[in-house]
């Protein structure tokens, strides 16, 4: 079987699939999501440490 040149793999010119505005919007939303996740993890760790420092009521 003979493969036609330039029809498979990463050969040839890449096609533009999204505008730069869309790419920037996706990047910004991912950055906001990452910061939110870091804030949630930090607050969880701090509240867990504070809870453990108080001790259990008997």
């Amino acid at each position: 079987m003979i493969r036609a040149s330039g029809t498979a793999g990463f050969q040839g010119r890449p096609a533009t699939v999204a505008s730069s505005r869309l790419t920037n919007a996706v990047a910004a939303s991912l950055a906001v999501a990452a910061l939110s996740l870091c804030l949630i993890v930090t607050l969880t760790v701090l509240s867990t440490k504070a809870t453990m420092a108080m001790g259990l009521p008997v």
Side-chain angles (χ1 to χ4, degrees):
M1 186 183 257
I2 299 173
R3 182 184 306 169
S5 65
T7 58
F10 294 101
Q11 300 171 354
R13 195 173 55 130
T16 303
V17 294
S19 67
S20 61
R21 287 180 63 192
L22 178 61
T23 304
N24 290 339
V26 170
S29 64
L30 287 174
V32 169
L35 288 174
S36 299
L37 183 62
C38 289
L39 180 64
I40 290 169
V41 169
T42 302
L43 290 175
T44 303
V45 168
L46 290 177
S47 66
T48 303
K49 285 184 178 183
T51 303
M52 294 175 84
M54 282 190 263
L56 296 174
V58 180

